Amino acid sequence: ENLGLAGNKISDYKDLQRLSLLPGLKRVSFEDIHFGCCPLTRLDGYRNFALCYLKQVTHLDGLEVTSGDRAAAEDAYMESILKFNNKIEEVTREGRREAQAIEARRARTKSHGHALKEEMIQAFDMLEKLVKEGLSNLHTEHNRQIRVRKQNQIALESSLMNIATSFSSEVERQLEEEKRREETEDAAFALLEARTVAERDQALLMSA
């Protein structure tokens, strides 16, 4: 049975798998010089895939398929499968490594966030302690200044009292001295007056 599909829009390997269900298919063509080619023929590894899946076909695109061609195609196809599987495994390993790296970064970020939270709590505790100490020191200093002002006021009042007492004593002393001087002067004046009277009487007596 001969099937010419050149010039069709077949572009998926699944269509080749459907053709493998036709055991009587011996000749199949996906491209020729008259009708052109299907998009399928431009896919990488097209001929090897076709020979592996269309095992009943003896001629492909006008060329005879030998046992050597089929064996080489199967080897190339298996090699591509192995490469694909290796690529999948590599991608899987890379994805696993990336996932582990992401998990490690997440763990570090979580640990860093926990450490940052602890540091912030400690900083706030220290700030609260400093504020309390500052308020306590301010209260203590305020009370000290009140005591100092009170002590200074008491000392000033005592000094003023001492000054007033000293001034009063000095005034009384000076008044006493003034009084004694007046008494002395009065006594001296009386004595002088008595002497004057005596001298006058003596003079009168002598003249008589």
Side-chain angles (χ1 to χ4, degrees):
E1 185 175 333
N2 186 12
L3 183 60
L5 298 173
N8 284 283
K9 298 184 180 300
I10 299 174
S11 59
D12 197 323
Y13 283 141
K14 292 180 181 179
D15 296 320
L16 292 182
Q17 293 175 328
R18 295 189 185 98
L19 293 177
S20 66
L21 301 177
L22 302 175
L25 182 63
K26 300 301 179 182
R27 294 174 179 265
V28 64
S29 182
F30 295 99
E31 64 175 334
D32 62 33
I33 59 175
H34 300 292
F35 296 99
C37 61
C38 298
L40 177 70
T41 61
R42 292 191 288 270
L43 298 178
D44 186 31
Y46 144 73
R47 186 173 179 82
N48 293 332
F49 188 89
L51 293 180
C52 288
Y53 275 87
L54 303 178
K55 296 183 181 297
Q56 76 277 30
V57 171
T58 59
H59 289 77
L60 178 63
D61 297 331
L63 299 176
E64 182 182 2
V65 179
T66 66
S67 58
D69 292 336
R70 197 175 301 278
E74 290 177 351
D75 290 342
Y77 180 70
M78 288 303 298
E79 183 178 358
S80 66
I81 292 296
L82 290 175
K83 287 182 179 179
F84 179 76
N85 289 337
N86 290 336
K87 184 65 175 178
I88 292 297
E89 291 179 359
E90 181 181 353
V91 171
T92 301
R93 288 193 298 271
E94 182 65 26
R96 188 178 294 110
R97 286 194 297 269
E98 183 65 23
Q100 291 174 349
I102 291 174
E103 184 62 27
R105 288 196 296 270
R106 183 182 295 114
R108 287 195 300 271
T109 301
K110 183 177 180 181
S111 176
H112 178 70
H114 181 71
L116 181 60
K117 181 180 179 180
E118 290 296 326
E119 290 178 0
M120 290 181 66
I121 291 175
Q122 292 177 2
F124 280 120
D125 290 342
M126 181 62 70
L127 179 60
E128 184 179 6
K129 181 180 179 182
L130 291 175
V131 170
K132 288 182 178 179
E133 289 180 354
L135 290 175
S136 177
N137 293 336
L138 183 62
H139 183 69
T140 301
E141 178 63 20
H142 178 68
N143 291 336
R144 188 190 68 81
Q145 291 181 1
I146 291 176
R147 289 195 302 271
V148 170
R149 285 198 298 269
K150 188 173 182 180
Q151 291 172 357
N152 291 339
Q153 183 179 1
I154 293 173
L156 179 60
E157 290 176 353
S158 178
S159 297
L160 291 175
M161 183 64 70
N162 292 334
I163 292 173
T165 301
S166 298
F167 180 76
S168 178
S169 298
E170 180 65 19
V171 169
E172 290 179 358
R173 186 185 65 79
Q174 291 183 5
L175 288 175
E176 287 293 331
E177 289 183 356
E178 183 66 21
K179 182 178 180 181
R180 285 196 297 271
R181 282 197 300 270
E182 288 180 356
E183 290 177 351
T184 301
E185 290 176 355
D186 289 344
F189 182 75
L191 181 62
L192 180 60
E193 185 178 6
R195 182 182 298 173
T196 303
V197 171
E199 289 177 352
R200 185 192 63 186
D201 291 342
Q202 185 179 7
L204 291 174
L205 182 59
M206 290 178 65
S207 62

